[in-house]
């Protein structure tokens, strides 16, 4: 037991959890022994997990795991036929006991509330699925989703899956170029979007950005538009179709059958930024991502039938689909919130949590850092007695906001489930299980079924020092490669050590078995929980006519956890740098969204480069943060690091 633990479950609490009850059923009363069994015999573990989650099959699987193609390409539940829509919605809608239970709650920015029972949600999914079939969507077609957090977003996801098509969601705050990049990578046939949404009491238009994205995406044949705001919007006859018209087109047709799909058939493509090049399309299957999400929510976070799961997120980030499948497969209600946590007042997130009786709330450290300054009094105005757990993901914590949330908001009663994994994981690698004590900012265990190690640079396990987070056995939910890029997938995760998934996080495991994530071991930026490849920012900056090249790093920030700092080389000496900086900032906001704008752009004479002309971001970052840059022998121009070091000193002096 760590000396740093601050939350301690008593025996009655432990015995009330789904995890403990399942362990007992399997003959375990000691968590550590159970965890060891979960990683020693992964076939047994996932077979039992499927049973305890109540997953139903059109055709039972004949073998749990086939590794004939090696650990990088596991085949799960061979011979089994399933469809996630049945396990998430239809089976609850078909039962008299659960048909009228609330499946989905939506609250708008201005306080409007809509609820759907499982029965009602199923009816809407059927209508949308019929409409998609009428529009010519077939099994295997890809549909991009560029939507705010509204009920139609979930209905669209489910309708697409029901007929065996594949959906690919993009962050609602992206600009047209970022959306188009993802549409083109997926070769999507259709885009589903909205006219706009409300944010902080103001209307945010989406259709204009969607139109620009489609203009850059030759594969798109149809654009379906949900009229959330009922505004006048540009309309292209023959291509654009309103959501209402889509629903009408399917209403008079015969019933639509939920397609019985092989276990490894793709469900969705989740695009995540890489350190170089275009985003990576993680391929997730009907019995991959949804089962891992449901397991982590149900067994690790104790989400039960009748609970209400509320995660403040966007469908373009991994936690959006996690919210949908993690909640619904467990028979819980899911709560979608269109607005922002501090509008119109700093208590909005607590007000929404209380009003809808959320049992589980998901937030990010960035959000809590921004709410701290307003004081805990805003949280105390609301009844949070139904709140059983607070989940946290997106980025590493620092102790002060964690303790503020635990002590001042949760009154030391509500456990904080620190949860870290990734888009390619389908959920968590590390977490806080509720049968063990929890400490500030740390993780008390790998998620069961995840064989986790911390390796030094030679591939040896280490305790008490920083190392690479690795996984040595496959798991349900592991990405089935990258869409049309199998070699890139293997290179991204499997190149460092044989048959070992290297995740890209620096981690310390202490003597008591607690884990702390210290940051990314690659160049990926993590801005307020949103992963961003530096190449995405750099490629936008060099579009400016006066910018020759650019380099981007992430540096710590008190509010967002990490922010982007950009360095640009200009084409001439006597240029208006203030004007260029403003134009470059606007260009980034326009292309990928205001939320991902850099904190600062510095103009430099040159960037640190290797002899083969590769910009060395590690050297930029070390210089700017005034840290030891390590071996710079491969640099062609080491003097550039000192120039950047001076900029960093000046930047932090002014803060």
């Amino acid at each position: 037991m760590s000396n740093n633990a601050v939350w301690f479950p008593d025996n009655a609490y432990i015995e009330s959890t789904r995890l403990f009850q399942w362990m007992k059923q399997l003959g375990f009363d000691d968590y550590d022994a159970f965890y060891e069994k979960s990683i020693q015999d992964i076939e047994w573990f996932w077979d039992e997990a499927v049973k305890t989650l109540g997953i139903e099959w059109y055709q039972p699987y004949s073998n749990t795991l086939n590794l004939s193609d090696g650990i990088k390409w596991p085949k799960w539940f061979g011979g089994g036929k399933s469809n996630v829509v049945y396990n998430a919605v239809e089976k609850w809608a078909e039962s008299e006991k659960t048909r009228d239970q609330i499946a989905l709650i939506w609250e708008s920015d201005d306080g409007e509330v809509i609820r759907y029972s499982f029965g009602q949600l199923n009816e809407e999914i059927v209508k949308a699925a019929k409409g998609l079939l009428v529009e010519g969507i077939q099994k295997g077609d890809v549909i991009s989703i560029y939507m705010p957090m509204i009920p139609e977003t979930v209905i669209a996801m489910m309708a697409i899956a029901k007929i065996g098509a594949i959906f690919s969601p993009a962050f609602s705050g992206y600009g047209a170029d970022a959306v188009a990049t993802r549409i083109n990578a997926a070769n999507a046939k259709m885009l589903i979007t909205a006219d706009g949404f409300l944010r902080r009491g103001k209307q945010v238009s989406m259709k204009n950005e969607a139109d620009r994205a489609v203009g850059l995406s030759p594969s798109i044949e149809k654009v379906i538009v949900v009229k959330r705001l009922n505004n006048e919007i540009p309309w292209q006859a023959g291509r654009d179709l309103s959501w209402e018209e889509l629903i009408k087109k399917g209403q008079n047709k015969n019933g639509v059958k939920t397609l019985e799909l092989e276990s490894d058939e793709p469900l969705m493509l989740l695009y995540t930024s890489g350190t170089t090049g275009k985003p990576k399309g993680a391929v997730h299957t009907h019995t991959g991502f949804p089962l891992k999400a449901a397991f982590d929510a149900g067994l690790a976070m104790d989400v039960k039938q009748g609970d209400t799961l509320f995660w403040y997120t966007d469908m373009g980030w991994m936690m959006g689909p996690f919210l949908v499948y993690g909640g619904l497969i467990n028979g819980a209600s899911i709560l979608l919130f269109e607005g922002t946590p501090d509008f119109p007042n700093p208590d909005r997130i607590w007000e929404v949590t209380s009003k809808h009786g959320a049992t589980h709330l998901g937030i990010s450290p960035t959000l809590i850092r921004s709410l701290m300054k307003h004081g805990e009094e805003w949280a105390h105005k609301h009844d949070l007695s139904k709140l059983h757990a607070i989940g946290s993901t997106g980025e590493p914590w620092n102790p002060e906001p964690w303790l503020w949330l635990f002590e001042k908001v949760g009154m030391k009663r509500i456990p904080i489930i620190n949860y870290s994994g990734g888009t390619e994981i389908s959920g968590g690698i590390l977490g806080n299980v509720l049968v063990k004590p929890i400490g500030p900012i740390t993780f008390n265990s790998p998620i069961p079924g995840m064989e986790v190690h911390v390796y030094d640079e030679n591939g040896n396990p280490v305790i008490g020092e920083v190392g690479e987070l690795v996984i040595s056995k496959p798991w349900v939910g592991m990405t089935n490669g990258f869409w049309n890029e199998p070699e890139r997938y293997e290179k991204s995760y499997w190149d460092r050590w044989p048959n070992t998934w290297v995740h890209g996080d620096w981690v310390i495991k202490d003597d008591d078995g607690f884990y702390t994530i210290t940051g990314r071991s690659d160049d990926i930026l993590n801005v307020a929980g949103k992963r961003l490849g530096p190449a995405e920012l750099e490629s936008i900056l060099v579009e400016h006519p006066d910018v020759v090249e650019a380099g981007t790093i992430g540096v710590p920030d008190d509010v967002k956890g990490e922010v982007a700092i950009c360095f640009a080389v200009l084409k001439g000496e006597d240029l208006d740098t203030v004007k260029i900086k403003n134009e470059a900032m606007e260009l980034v906001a326009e292309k990928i969204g205001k939320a991902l704008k850099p904190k600062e752009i510095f103009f430099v004479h040159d960037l640190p480069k290797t002899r083969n002309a590769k910009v060395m971001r590690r050297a930029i970052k070390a210089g700017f943060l005034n840290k030891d840059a390590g071996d710079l022998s491969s640099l062609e121009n080491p003097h550039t690091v000192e120039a950047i070091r001076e900029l960093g000193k000046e930047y932090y002096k002014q803060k």
Side-chain angles (χ1 to χ4, degrees):
M1 184 187 300
S2 171
N3 295 328
N4 296 324
V6 294
W7 181 85
F8 300 89
D10 60 24
N11 286 337
Y13 183 97
I14 291 170
E15 290 168 9
S16 74
T17 64
R18 284 181 74 183
L19 178 57
F20 184 82
Q21 290 167 11
W22 183 44
M23 284 167 42
K24 286 287 282 185
Q25 183 188 324
L26 297 174
F28 294 87
D29 52 19
D30 176 72
Y31 173 78
D32 293 335
F34 167 75
Y35 170 73
E36 281 302 315
K37 174 71 172 173
S38 82
I39 58 173
Q40 294 309 321
D41 191 346
I42 55 175
E43 288 187 62
W44 164 84
F45 173 78
W46 288 107
D47 191 42
E48 293 295 340
V50 163
K51 290 177 195 168
T52 198
L53 288 169
I55 302 301
E56 297 187 18
W57 304 82
Y58 296 119
Q59 180 176 301
Y61 53 92
S62 52
N63 66 294
T64 307
L65 174 62
N66 178 342
L67 289 176
S68 59
D69 291 337
I71 188 175
K72 302 170 191 176
W73 301 98
K75 295 173 184 169
W76 291 96
F77 311 119
K81 288 194 174 179
S82 181
N83 190 305
V84 67
V85 179
Y86 185 80
N87 283 294
V89 179
E90 287 174 17
K91 75 174 185 183
W92 306 113
E94 288 173 1
S95 166
E96 285 187 17
K97 289 182 181 176
T98 53
R99 181 184 305 141
D100 297 325
Q101 288 184 7
I102 297 300
L104 188 152
I105 306 162
W106 175 70
E107 179 161 335
S108 71
D109 183 72
D110 58 357
E112 180 188 356
V113 175
I114 297 176
R115 295 180 176 86
Y116 293 80
S117 67
F118 279 102
Q120 290 167 331
L121 185 60
N122 190 48
E123 287 171 12
E124 295 301 313
I125 292 164
V126 169
K127 291 177 198 171
K130 286 182 187 177
L132 291 172
L133 289 171
V134 171
E135 283 300 311
I137 296 298
Q138 300 175 348
K139 178 186 172 187
D141 286 343
V142 179
I143 299 178
S144 287
I145 294 178
Y146 176 46
M147 296 270 278
M149 290 295 269
I150 55 177
E152 290 85 354
T153 310
V154 175
I155 294 164
M157 289 164 58
M158 294 290 179
I160 293 164
K162 184 180 179 76
I163 60 175
I166 304 161
F167 69 88
S168 180
F171 172 45
S172 63
Y174 274 147
D177 286 59
V179 176
T181 300
R182 287 151 178 81
I183 292 173
N184 290 322
N187 198 33
K189 187 174 179 179
M190 176 185 278
L191 174 67
I192 302 180
T193 189
D195 56 358
F197 56 95
L198 294 178
R199 183 175 175 82
R200 297 189 172 277
K202 295 176 182 172
Q203 295 192 354
V204 179
S205 172
M206 290 188 87
K207 182 60 162 60
N208 291 338
E209 289 298 312
D211 283 348
R212 288 180 55 223
V214 171
L216 300 167
S217 309
S219 62
I220 294 291
E221 297 172 11
K222 285 278 182 181
V223 178
I224 310 297
V225 185
V226 177
K227 293 185 176 176
R228 158 79 185 97
L229 300 175
N230 282 310
N231 279 348
E232 283 291 320
I233 50 174
W235 202 258
Q236 185 171 316
R239 185 199 70 181
D240 295 354
L241 185 72
S242 74
W243 178 265
E244 291 77 9
E245 286 297 315
L246 180 81
I247 300 299
K248 275 183 193 170
K249 282 196 172 196
Q251 276 181 338
N252 300 323
K253 304 295 175 184
N254 295 328
V256 55
K257 190 176 186 299
T258 302
L259 225 53
E260 299 180 9
L261 299 169
E262 302 288 345
S263 271
D264 60 355
E265 298 212 47
L267 164 70
M268 66 175 168
L269 309 178
L270 285 179
Y271 279 89
T272 179
S273 296
T275 49
T276 57
K278 65 181 183 181
K280 305 171 293 190
V283 180
H284 291 299
T285 65
H286 277 255
T287 57
F289 187 109
L291 269 59
K292 169 67 170 162
F295 178 84
D296 288 8
L299 279 300
M301 299 181 186
D302 207 41
V303 173
K304 300 182 283 289
Q305 193 181 339
D307 281 352
T308 298
L309 177 60
F310 172 27
W311 213 284
Y312 181 68
T313 185
D314 185 274
M315 212 56 74
W317 307 127
M318 188 212 87
M319 293 311 296
F322 176 93
L323 164 67
V324 173
Y325 300 122
L328 295 180
I329 290 175
N330 284 299
S333 307
I334 59 171
L335 172 54
L336 272 66
F337 178 45
E338 178 189 48
T340 44
D342 58 353
F343 179 84
N345 293 305
D347 61 341
R348 185 68 186 277
I349 192 92
W350 314 118
E351 178 194 338
V352 172
T353 300
S354 173
K355 184 198 296 188
H356 302 293
T359 54
H360 295 73
L361 168 65
I363 48 81
S364 68
T366 294
L367 169 57
I368 298 308
R369 284 191 283 265
S370 68
L371 293 179
M372 265 181 76
K373 62 184 181 222
H374 299 292
E376 60 271 15
E377 298 79 17
W378 288 99
H380 295 167
K381 291 169 66 175
H382 303 281
D383 178 9
L384 301 178
S385 59
K386 288 187 177 176
L387 190 57
H388 298 329
I390 297 173
S392 161
T393 192
E395 72 239 292
W397 281 96
N398 41 325
E400 188 185 4
W402 193 100
L403 287 165
W404 179 80
L405 178 62
F406 177 69
E407 294 174 351
K408 306 296 186 186
V409 175
M411 309 302 289
K412 301 184 180 179
R413 174 185 70 84
I414 304 170
I416 299 174
I417 302 173
N418 210 6
Y419 182 63
S420 184
T423 302
E424 301 89 340
I425 305 294
S426 297
I429 302 171
L430 300 172
N432 278 330
V433 293
L434 297 174
V435 297
K436 294 182 74 174
I438 292 172
I441 83 170
T442 59
F443 305 83
N444 66 14
S445 174
I447 302 292
M450 307 296 286
E451 181 163 2
V452 172
H453 302 281
V454 181
Y455 281 0
D456 66 14
E457 60 189 12
N458 300 312
N460 300 314
V462 290
I463 292 178
E465 60 184 85
V466 174
E468 287 274 7
L469 179 66
V470 303
I471 310 170
S472 51
K473 284 182 183 168
W475 64 95
V476 166
M478 185 174 127
T479 184
N480 195 14
F482 296 154
W483 190 244
N484 297 328
E485 294 185 299
E487 291 176 2
R488 188 181 182 198
Y489 157 68
E490 292 194 8
K491 191 177 179 194
S492 294
Y493 289 104
W494 300 98
D495 257 16
R496 184 101 179 255
W497 295 295
N499 293 327
T500 303
W501 175 289
V502 179
H503 192 61
D505 279 338
W506 286 125
V507 174
I508 301 171
K509 180 184 179 183
D510 69 19
D511 292 334
D512 300 312
F514 283 69
Y515 296 76
T516 305
I517 292 179
T518 62
R520 295 292 299 169
S521 59
D522 58 17
D523 286 328
I524 292 283
L525 281 73
N526 195 333
V527 180
K530 299 170 182 67
R531 292 181 71 190
L532 181 70
E536 284 194 84
L537 273 175
E538 291 160 4
S539 62
I540 293 168
L541 292 176
V542 297
E543 286 184 26
H544 191 285
D546 291 318
V547 175
V548 182
E549 60 181 345
T552 297
I553 60 169
V555 303
D557 182 76
D558 290 342
V559 175
K560 291 191 174 183
E562 189 172 34
V563 292
I565 300 286
C566 299
F567 300 84
V569 179
L570 298 178
K571 287 183 176 175
E573 291 290 325
D574 301 311
L575 295 171
D576 185 345
T577 55
V578 173
K579 179 172 176 284
I580 294 169
K581 182 187 291 189
N582 290 337
E583 290 170 349
M585 286 284 193
E586 285 306 309
L587 197 58
V588 173
E590 178 189 335
K591 298 280 189 179
I592 59 171
K594 291 180 182 176
L596 301 175
K597 278 203 308 186
K599 182 84 170 184
E600 184 60 87
I601 300 173
F602 291 102
F603 298 111
V604 292
H605 292 294
D606 202 0
L607 295 170
K609 293 193 196 81
T610 61
R611 288 179 177 84
N612 60 359
K614 183 180 178 182
V615 173
M616 192 182 271
R617 297 191 190 97
R618 172 178 64 81
I620 297 174
K621 188 165 185 171
F624 192 74
L625 296 176
N626 200 27
K627 293 183 176 177
D628 180 12
D631 180 17
L632 298 179
S633 59
S634 63
L635 280 186
E636 183 73 24
N637 50 0
H639 63 277
T640 55
V641 178
E642 289 311 308
I644 289 170
R645 194 181 301 277
E646 291 306 311
L647 290 172
K649 287 177 182 175
E650 191 62 31
Y651 173 81
Y652 283 104
K653 191 190 296 180
Q654 292 174 8
K655 286 196 75 178

